[in-house]
Amino acid sequence: MNVEEGFALRGRNPDVLTCIANLSNDEVFTPPEFASQMLDTVSASWAADHDGADIWADQNVKFLDPFTKSGVFLREITKRLIAGLENEIPNLQERVDHILTQQVFGIGTTQLTSLMARRSVYCSKFANGKHSVTRRFNSEVGNIWFERTEHTWTTQDKCKYCGASKATLDRGEDRESHAYAFIHTDNIKTRIAELFGGDMQFDVIIGNPPYQLDDGGHGTSAAPIYQKFVEQAKNLEPRYLTMVIPSRWFAGGKGLDDFRQSMLSDNRLRSITDYLSAADVFPGVGLKGGVCYFLWDRDHLGECKISTNFKDWPVSEATRPLLERGAEIFIRFNEGVSILKKVMQVETGQADTLALPEDRRFDKMVSSARVFGFRTFFKGRKTKKPNDLLIYQNGGTGFVSREQVEGGAHLIDKWKLFAGYAAPGTGNRDTYPHRIISTPFIAGPSTVSSETYLSMGPLDTETEAKSALSYISCRLTRFLVLLHKSSQHVTRKVYTFVPRQTWDRQWTDEMLYEKYGLTEDEITFVEKIVRPMDMDLFENPAED
């Protein structure tokens, strides 16, 4: 079979990369259609920056996928270059040879994925094999490199580069080390020159990095790692950088504070395309909080185009700053920015800052986790002794003595609200509208809780507690929580944008909409995102 027949047949056969199973949540394969969409974003930006020029008709542009798995990005790039360079290099075989040896490069994440990527790009797991579509390579790896890399353990038994645990990932040569070569180096430019030779300057870096360390704990203690790939790619100083990563970095995520600050203060981010549900991009992958892909443009200095996608909803688009004045996180919803500014205008007299004064912040009424000192698995006594306190715990209630309480003295004998630390889930799906927080309920004096619940208070009377309960149950209040919430965990921090009210009335959404001057469109958006609370559950926390 000649090369023309090979590429013709590929278009007729089912695309195996559309149905390949993911290895795990830390190595998610990218669907071809989504990879193509990311490439469309790159080519549109290239055209805008080069007087309409076609990036696929430029035989000097170099592409790198530094964490290739299925090879889908490299394959789609190759297909586009084959079509785009037809006039420049009319002979198909010469064109393919030039593209695969001079323009398209990859680094495998594992031995298995490197073989898969070569099969996708070269039509052979060996670049110099008899079935390869090019005869220009003298090595089996071609330009899709992989060699086993080892972690560099510190005296604390953690990897110097990725933070992996020696106890978990120092497991012998017969199993993958997950020491990804791209981030296990002190000088990435020197390392790239060692891998591919010469002074390699990539115009486009693109891919889908591993999301977290495979800690062997089924994700229970996994730490994000994708940020290290983003930072390392920037060190190569490409013209464009685009990656698909989890969206949690917008507002939270374990160990992501420095990364978030770096990204949000980087005005070279040209666009962020956000998907509220990861299932819309990666069907069947349990990844809560959604995913996004960004385009970083070395020569772009300005605001960022934000596109928000969710199932069949109209795409929301706006060009705006990544970091609004007074905010520490990225406001995910374009509509949320205008709503939040209206709230701040009423509360502070200023719409150009999202920072509430200390005495107006509801989060100052919200406790830290485990405020009374009881862990989630703690179980109080079933029978009450004299002077015991009632404890709300995982699965119901019990009793404890005052001597057992380790903190939160200012809350014990006051009225307060309790709300679950973990918001109600819907399996592995992100769905809207939803409640945002677990159903809150009133707890009177002489009550405490385990860390299953956060406490809101103290409040002096039952009347005040009922007023606060009505406020936190309002859709607009919970929408303001959502703007600062990145996962199912509802910490004190997510209440940062929620203003404190007076606790002398029963609050309703209609009252809040009027107070803050929301338009009909803004009200419709809030109610599309946030589900009403079931008032019947307020007195039955064990059933929530």
Side-chain angles (χ1 to χ4, degrees), residues 331-352:
I331 308 301
R332 187 172 194 180
F333 298 95
N334 293 321
E335 296 82 356
V337 176
S338 63
I339 293 172
L340 195 51
K341 286 184 175 180
K342 287 186 174 182
V343 171
M344 296 302 161
Q345 177 67 54
V346 172
E347 296 294 338
T348 69
Q350 302 179 69
D352 62 345

Side-chain angles (χ1 to χ4, degrees), residues 464-480:
E464 287 190 355
K466 288 182 177 179
S467 174
L469 179 64
S470 68
Y471 176 60
I472 203 67
S473 70
C474 288
R475 279 170 150 172
L476 180 58
T477 308
R478 289 179 284 128
F479 178 76
L480 297 177

Side-chain angles (χ1 to χ4, degrees), residues 390-408:
L390 178 68
I391 182 170
Y392 290 90
Q393 59 197 19
N394 189 21
T397 58
F399 299 96
V400 296
S401 67
R402 286 181 179 265
E403 290 72 24
Q404 290 177 271
V405 182
E406 299 177 3

Side-chain angles (χ1 to χ4, degrees), residues 26 151 162-165 169 178 180 211-216 222-225:
D26 61 333
H151 295 280
C162 68
S165 166
L169 289 178
H178 293 284
Y180 303 110
Y211 294 160
Q212 62 191 28
L213 286 172
D214 183 4
D215 61 355
I225 195 174

